[in-house]
Amino acid sequence: TEIHCICFPVQHQHGTRTENSGFSDCCVSAFLQMDYHFEYTECDGTGSRWRVAIPRKQDLCTGLPDPVSGTDCTFSCDAGEFLEMSAQQCTPCVAGTYSLGSGIRFDEWDDIPVGFTSLATYLDSSPGVEEIHACKNSSWVPKGSYLESNRDDCTVSLIYAVHLKKQGSVSFEYQYVDNNIFFEFFIQNDQCQEMDQTPDQKWIKLTNNGEWGGHTVNLNSGTNILYWRTTGIFLGTKALKPVLLKNIHIEGVAYTSECFQCKPGTFSRAPGSSTCEPCPRNTHSSKGATSCTPSEGSAECKEKSACTEKDYFQIHTPCDSDGKTQVIYKWIEPKICLENVTGAVTLPPSGEREPCPPCNPGFYSYNSASCFPCPPGTFSDGIRGCEKCPAGTEPALGYEYKWWNVLPSNMKTSCFNVGNSKCDDMNGWEVAGDHIRSGAGSSDNDYLILNLWVPGFKLPTSVTGSSGTEFGRVTFVFETTCSADCELYFMMDVNRKSTSVVESWEGSKARMSYSHIVTKNASVSFTWAFQRTSQAQDVSIYSITLTNAQDGTASSCRACALVSQQTGTSCVPCPTGHYIDKDNNRCRQCPPDTYLSGHQVYSKEACIPCGPGSRSNKDRSRCFSDCSFSHTWQNRTLTYDFSPLGPVGSIMNGPSFTSKGTKYFHSFNISLCGLEGNRAAICTDNVTDLSKMERQNEPGEFANYVEAFVCQSTIIPSDGRGFRTALSSQSVSLADTFMGNLMEIHIFECERTSMNICFGFRSSQPTSSCENGRSAVISLRCNPEKTGRGELSVSSKCPAGTCDGCTFNFLWESASACPRCTEADYHEIEGACKGGSQTILYVWNEPKLCSKGVRLPVMRRTPCEAIDFWLKIGAALGAFMALLLISLSCYFWKKNKRLEYKYSRLVMTASRDCDMPAADSCAVMEGDDNEDDVVCSSKPSLLGKLKSMAAKVSRKPP
């Protein structure tokens, strides 16, 4: 408070002598108030308080006013007033200032206001991890009209403490476009205890590029410590886009002890103002202005530069009455360049007048200048007039924009740059005949916005009864040409509530097509935002097509189902899973184990066969595995029951670390089989789990989660950065269609004694890096040691679950992945026969590669007979005969030896003469002696007589 007074000496008259006794009380008060200020004490139990003087210097303790009774604790000032503490009265604000009465507002950010603190932290409670000091320079940065968060992967908190005398609120505006940053707002009390907040209050929602969002939270009376905290998750080389914050407004303070000056560009002309008015166009004001000054001059002049190609842009003129258009060039306004200096360029001459392009499909032209939508029930290719659809058909409603002479009525374009208001008056995109292209812009970091609003979707009559999830499909063809950094964003806002980036493309891209399926019937806003710099950059969109738009026109007719083929019969919806028969236009159910294509129901070819090992659900809307599977391997029929693996399985691989050491994991949820094909794997965003109540309350809204057969989230654990809870973001669907059981081995190698059963899934939604969409393969491997649900893992070759970002591979080892046991999986072992009985045991073949199925038969005993008596007798006789044979052999061998000996004696003595008279024969007599005698007989034998006769004949003389 400024105190204006005239200081003069106080004179006292003492007779004829005058003395100076000091200065006036006003002057003393002015001197003293420069050294102290007033504050109120805390309220006591009776609702009373005291006003006390607080010295501005610590060593000043004398000469301060005595404490006096303060105003009642419920006292407050109205808007446009402030509490003058000296008099303890509400005083109107002077012109050029304003007051909110019981509120405070922060809308100027030339620097961080008094009371705010920017605190950077990088906490990691892991053992052995030292504090990282690389975040000491990270901070919220004032940018004049807003604050900007840090651009790195540090955690930075903007903190403000306020004491409320009554319940109040805090509101602020923000831009939050990058989901690689966690942006949270929370409140603590004076005991550093976090106040209760719902997830929607704590975790801030994303906004469109270039659009400001608002956030309001109620506050309790007492001390409230407000935290705006950002945490960057720098997982790649892509730079983070900071959070922008402005217009912080706090309600609930009892009074304000000062008025705030109007910021530049605004004014308040009367005392007691609660707000400042913006200056009219072409005027300006300084801080604390009571009026605005016409902008006729400037404090300094800058030399204009030579004009370049960046200072003009081209447009196509609207069609004239002759059906002609031409290309013309215009300077960017305001023009701040010179075209008559050396090196300057001039505007190119206008192009030749050319025939206007035809109307877009679904439109017709009464004359050559304007196009109008075809009436309901008719169609047009844009060249010919509108025609009624033939019997048995209905219009195929939608948008098909491929000629760009004028911007369609449901599209708008704008330019936005948070730090440059000159962009606001420019068109972000310009029509160019056969394409629409990005505008010129005016400075770096302009966002060139193109928006298409769709009020809702209307399915063709024939498929209104289907249970499919495709309500519409947007397809656009585009091309980007960049000589420096640039990025094109494609975003979607559902029911004007939640904006999300669907896909983005960096740098130059050759002409390509992109499609996105809309799975909710709601009003949708599609946005194309091109972020460019001052260097030569351009993006062109050649066509935009949207199917099933509620207010769309028809470029063609499609067959519909009829009750009968009589003339005038109207179209009727087909039941779920039915196609339209080409022969009679009647509804026919798809055959078993086929499913109906989401965007084609005409002819039996619309029924797509399910993959191997899969079946269709009752609605014929999708294929799934019922958790059972059979196949033949090595001449055996193997039967599997995967039902224990049916509930959602999860795997979290990692950890991985960012450049500054942030620990994060990739979490995967897998819904393998069962559940009639419902995609039960859910991945959530923004830290909090989605409650059932929230899903029930908002069934038609997009929430921060995805449902799929396989999905992925990025998880930052609570111990990795000092968070109070784990953070989850970047949730994406990796697979939403079951392709079947594939008997192929991908990354994982199988042992000779086992075989993998591979479940194949895919997502047809293309991405910037996966033009054909993503796919996932879950290989089930029999491992009897992994009981229960077993263990999920990824290949060591691709620890992130994928090597190319498009194909994901998982290995699920479990005893439940083994085939069901059969009689071929065990064998029997017979025990010894004892006491007329024997034991038969049954054991599993090793290694055991089966589960459940048949059980091992119990041990059993069977009767058995001992060895036969005659068999024993035969064995004994055999042994006796063998012994006898051996004995006889020895006897005859010995006898033969003796005969040989005697014979040799006989031969040796045959030539000797006997001492006795000649005998007719000789013989050897056996005896016991070793020497046997030779006996000569006198009686001649027959042999001797013959020999004697022969001898006589031989002795006769000749």
Side-chain angles (χ1 to χ4, degrees):
T1 303
E2 297 182 0
I3 300 177
H4 301 279
C5 64
I6 299 175
C7 295
F8 55 88
V10 178
Q11 297 180 345
H12 296 276
Q13 190 73 30
H14 295 279
T16 59
R17 184 168 55 89
T18 301
E19 295 181 355
N20 294 331
S21 61
F23 294 94
S24 64
D25 292 338
C26 173
C27 198
V28 172
S29 176
F31 288 155
L32 288 177
Q33 288 200 25
M34 289 189 295
D35 296 328
Y36 64 86
H37 66 278
F38 291 111
E39 289 186 7
Y40 282 124
T41 62
E42 293 291 333
C43 294
D44 57 22
T46 62
S48 301
R49 57 184 173 181
W50 293 81
R51 189 202 71 178
V52 297
I54 307 298
R56 300 185 187 277
K57 298 180 180 180
Q58 295 182 356
D59 56 351
L60 179 63
C61 296
T62 59
L64 299 176
D66 294 331
V68 298
S69 177
T71 58
D72 188 83
C73 288
T74 59
F75 174 85
S76 63
C77 292
D78 295 331
E81 297 179 337
F82 74 99
L83 181 62
E84 202 285 304
M85 293 293 290
S86 296
Q88 298 193 73
Q89 294 180 351
C90 293
T91 305
C93 293
V94 299
T97 64
Y98 73 95
S99 168
L100 300 176
S102 62
I104 52 178
R105 178 185 296 153
F106 301 95
D107 54 8
E108 293 184 65
W109 304 96
D110 295 321
D111 51 24
I112 296 182
V114 177
F116 282 87
T117 302
S118 181
L119 178 64
T121 56
Y122 197 100
L123 304 178
D124 192 336
S125 59
S126 301
V129 177
E130 298 181 357
E131 181 180 359
I132 298 177
H133 301 283
C135 293
K136 62 182 180 181
N137 294 324
S138 298
S139 173
W140 286 82
V141 181
K143 293 290 186 179
S145 60
Y146 62 91
L147 275 175
E148 181 181 279
S149 71
N150 55 307
R151 294 173 177 263
D152 52 27
D153 53 351
C154 295
T155 298
V156 182
S157 299
L158 181 69
I159 307 172
Y160 184 77
V162 61
H163 188 81
L164 301 186
K165 299 301 182 182
K166 56 182 180 180
Q167 289 186 342
S169 64
V170 56
S171 62
F172 55 89
E173 296 180 50
Y174 68 94
Q175 277 193 25
Y176 175 32
V177 299
D178 194 341
N179 61 0
N180 289 314
I181 295 179
F182 291 111
F183 182 27
E184 57 180 323
F185 173 74
F186 60 95
I187 307 164
Q188 291 183 348
N189 58 20
D190 54 359
Q191 303 297 319
C192 294
Q193 297 172 335
E194 188 169 336
M195 311 291 281
D196 291 334
Q197 291 178 261
T198 64
D200 284 344
Q201 291 176 329
K202 179 176 180 180
W203 298 100
I204 310 302
K205 297 178 181 178
L206 291 170
T207 62
N208 281 327
N209 282 282
E211 294 187 4
W212 291 93
H215 193 75
T216 302
V217 178
N218 294 327
L219 301 177
N220 297 326
S221 59
T223 300
N224 292 266
I225 305 175
L226 313 180
Y227 288 82
W228 292 265
R229 186 159 76 174
T230 60
T231 302
I233 309 302
F234 199 70
L235 302 181
T237 58
K238 185 178 178 181
L240 299 177
K241 297 184 181 301
V243 173
L244 309 182
L245 184 65
K246 71 175 184 178
N247 293 340
I248 299 177
H249 185 175
I250 302 174
E251 281 287 344
V253 296
Y255 62 89
T256 178
S257 59
E258 62 178 343
C259 295
F260 301 96
Q261 290 184 321
C262 293
K263 65 180 182 179
T266 63
F267 72 100
S268 66
R269 61 168 55 93
S273 297
S274 59
T275 59
C276 295
E277 303 176 35
C279 286
R281 194 177 186 87
N282 295 325
T283 64
H284 70 277
S285 69
S286 58
K287 191 172 184 177
T290 58
S291 62
C292 297
T293 305
S295 301
E296 297 179 353
S298 177
E300 59 178 344
C301 294
K302 295 182 179 179
E303 184 177 354
K304 290 184 177 180
S305 59
C307 292
T308 66
E309 289 82 357
K310 295 182 294 183
D311 294 308
Y312 66 82
F313 60 95
Q314 77 169 37
I315 62 171
H316 280 66
T317 62
C319 287
D320 56 23
S321 58
D322 297 329
K324 301 289 186 178
T325 183
Q326 67 179 149
V327 174
I328 63 174
Y329 298 88
K330 289 186 176 182
W331 294 110
I332 296 174
E333 297 294 339
K335 182 183 176 184
I336 56 172
C337 67
L338 295 174
E339 54 181 313
N340 55 357
V341 297
T342 303
V345 300
T346 59
L347 281 180
S350 299
E352 297 287 339
R353 295 177 71 245
E354 300 175 350
C356 292
C359 295
N360 279 311
F363 289 78
Y364 71 98
S365 177
Y366 269 138
N367 50 52
S368 55
S370 302
C371 295
F372 302 91
C374 285
T378 63
F379 72 99
S380 171
D381 59 1
I383 300 176
R384 294 181 290 270
C386 300
E387 303 175 18
K388 293 195 67 174
C389 287
T393 64
E394 61 179 334
L397 299 179
Y399 307 144
E400 188 175 351
Y401 300 140
K402 62 180 182 179
W403 299 110
W404 302 93
N405 189 57
V406 294
L407 194 67
S409 59
N410 59 347
M411 298 186 72
K412 64 180 181 178
T413 177
S414 60
C415 177
F416 177 82
N417 189 321
V418 68
N420 179 19
S421 60
K422 294 180 181 179
C423 181
D424 298 342
D425 299 327
M426 300 178 181
N427 285 333
W429 296 70
E430 299 287 351
V431 293
D434 63 346
H435 67 280
I436 183 171
R437 60 186 300 176
S438 56
S442 62
S443 63
D444 291 357
N445 298 319
D446 286 343
Y447 283 100
L448 309 180
I449 309 296
L450 180 65
N451 180 268
L452 170 63
W453 186 73
V454 186
F457 296 88
K458 181 182 179 181
L459 292 174
T461 304
S462 301
V463 296
T464 53
S466 67
S467 60
T469 59
E470 180 177 335
F471 286 88
R473 182 184 296 247
V474 59
T475 303
F476 57 94
V477 179
F478 70 97
E479 180 182 28
T480 59
T481 304
C482 302
S483 59
D485 293 338
C486 69
E487 189 164 6
L488 174 65
Y489 296 90
F490 174 60
M491 299 174 290
M492 184 170 60
D493 181 8
V494 179
N495 285 343
R496 301 184 184 273
K497 180 184 178 183
S498 174
T499 300
S500 59
V501 176
V502 178
E503 192 57 81
S504 63
W505 298 267
E506 295 183 4
S508 296
K509 297 293 181 183
R511 188 165 177 167
M512 63 180 296
S513 175
Y514 177 81
S515 296
H516 178 74
I517 298 174
V518 180
T519 58
K520 301 288 184 181
N521 191 0
S523 63
V524 177
S525 177
F526 297 106
T527 300
W528 293 263
F530 183 58
Q531 185 184 20
R532 54 161 295 161
T533 63
S534 59
Q535 301 187 32
Q537 300 176 31
D538 182 58
V539 59
S540 299
I541 296 180
Y542 295 93
S543 65
I544 299 176
T545 304
L546 179 69
T547 62
N548 303 333
Q550 189 179 85
D551 62 342
T553 58
S555 61
S556 62
C557 299
R558 58 185 296 169
C560 66
L562 302 176
V563 176
S564 67
Q565 292 184 307
Q566 297 179 359
T567 304
T569 302
S570 60
C571 297
V572 297
C574 284
T576 301
H578 286 61
Y579 67 95
I580 302 174
D581 194 328
K582 289 192 297 185
D583 297 331
N584 53 24
N585 278 33
R586 304 290 291 273
C587 296
R588 295 284 184 268
Q589 187 178 26
C590 283
D593 296 334
T594 65
Y595 70 98
L596 192 64
S597 171
H599 58 279
Q600 171 63 31
V601 296
Y602 190 65
S603 78
K604 190 175 182 179
E605 287 71 23
C607 301
I608 303 174
C610 293
S614 63
R615 53 178 297 185
S616 58
N617 59 359
K618 296 179 181 179
D619 296 338
R620 306 289 201 272
S621 60
R622 63 172 62 98
C623 296
F624 72 102
S625 169
D626 60 359
C627 297
S628 62
F629 180 64
S630 297
H631 79 99
T632 301
W633 182 55
Q634 294 184 354
N635 298 324
R636 285 185 56 193
T637 299
L638 303 180
T639 302
Y640 296 83
D641 179 14
F642 301 126
S643 54
L645 308 180
V648 176
S650 299
I651 176 177
M652 185 178 294
N653 64 351
S656 301
F657 297 88
T658 65
S659 58
K660 289 192 175 180
T662 299
K663 180 168 62 176
Y664 67 93
F665 298 84
H666 283 142
S667 175
F668 300 92
N669 291 335
I670 298 174
S671 175
L672 188 69
C673 60
L675 304 175
E676 283 292 314
N678 293 325
R679 295 181 276 267
I682 298 177
C683 294
T684 60
D685 256 357
N686 288 345
V687 185
T688 56
D689 292 330
L690 187 70
S691 65
K692 294 182 180 179
M693 183 178 298
E694 183 180 354
R695 264 184 270 171
Q696 293 172 354
N697 291 341
E698 301 178 354
E701 304 290 342
F702 276 107
N704 294 323
Y705 72 99
V706 294
E707 293 179 326
F709 286 117
V710 183
C711 62
Q712 172 189 342
S713 296
T714 300
I715 305 295
I716 299 179
S718 58
D719 62 349
R721 292 286 290 272
F723 295 125
R724 295 172 300 281
T725 183
L727 307 185
S728 172
S729 72
Q730 302 176 357
S731 296
V732 294
S733 169
L734 302 181
D736 53 19
T737 303
F738 178 56
M739 303 303 297
N741 293 330
L742 311 175
M743 297 307 298
E744 299 177 1
I745 308 304
H746 292 263
I747 287 182
F748 305 104
E749 297 179 357
C750 290
E751 301 174 2
R752 293 183 179 180
T753 56
S754 65
M755 192 170 188
N756 286 355
I757 304 299
C758 298
F759 276 60
F761 301 87
R762 72 181 298 267
S763 173
S764 58
Q765 187 67 49
T767 66
S768 58
S769 57
C770 306
E771 296 182 359
N772 298 321
R774 300 183 178 98
S775 62
V777 176
I778 294 91
S779 299
L780 304 182
R781 178 175 294 175
C782 172
N783 189 338
E785 297 180 358
K786 306 287 186 180
T787 58
R789 291 173 54 80
E791 179 182 0
L792 266 167
S793 63
V794 296
S795 171
S796 59
K797 300 177 182 178
C798 305
T802 178
C803 293
D804 58 3
C806 299
T807 302
F808 292 78
N809 290 271
F810 306 92
L811 177 63
W812 199 333
E813 295 183 274
S814 172
S816 300
C818 297
R820 298 180 70 89
C821 295
T822 64
E823 289 79 1
D825 292 302
Y826 63 82
H827 61 277
E828 65 178 32
I829 299 177
E830 296 182 352
C833 185
K834 296 181 180 180
S837 65
Q838 65 178 160
T839 301
I840 298 180
L841 298 176
Y842 296 89
V843 295
W844 295 110
N845 299 334
E846 292 295 338
K848 181 187 177 184
L849 296 175
C850 66
S851 66
K852 298 182 179 179
V854 300
R855 297 183 178 181
L856 278 178
V858 297
M859 179 182 67
R860 63 188 179 92
R861 290 182 176 274
T862 58
C864 61
E865 296 182 359
I867 300 177
D868 189 80
F869 173 76
W870 295 107
L871 183 60
K872 294 181 179 179
I873 296 297
L877 290 176
F880 173 77
M881 294 301 294
L883 181 61
L884 179 61
L885 180 61
I886 294 172
S887 300
L888 290 175
S889 298
C890 293
Y891 170 77
F892 285 111
W893 177 81
K894 186 175 180 182
K895 187 174 182 63
N896 184 58
K897 286 294 183 180
R898 293 184 65 185
L899 288 175
E900 288 182 357
Y901 173 74
K902 291 178 178 180
Y903 178 75
S904 62
R905 288 283 305 273
L906 181 63
V907 171
M908 292 174 60
T909 59
S911 59
R912 293 185 306 174
D913 294 333
C914 292
D915 294 337
M916 293 180 297
D920 293 330
S921 64
C922 295
V924 178
M925 300 301 294
E926 293 183 7
D928 296 331
D929 299 331
N930 291 333
E931 297 294 335
D932 294 320
D933 296 330
V934 178
V935 179
C936 296
S937 176
S938 60
K939 185 179 181 179
S941 62
L942 177 62
L943 181 59
K945 291 179 178 181
L946 292 176
K947 287 182 178 181
S948 298
M949 293 177 64
K952 290 179 179 180
V953 173
S954 61
R955 286 195 295 266
K956 285 182 178 183

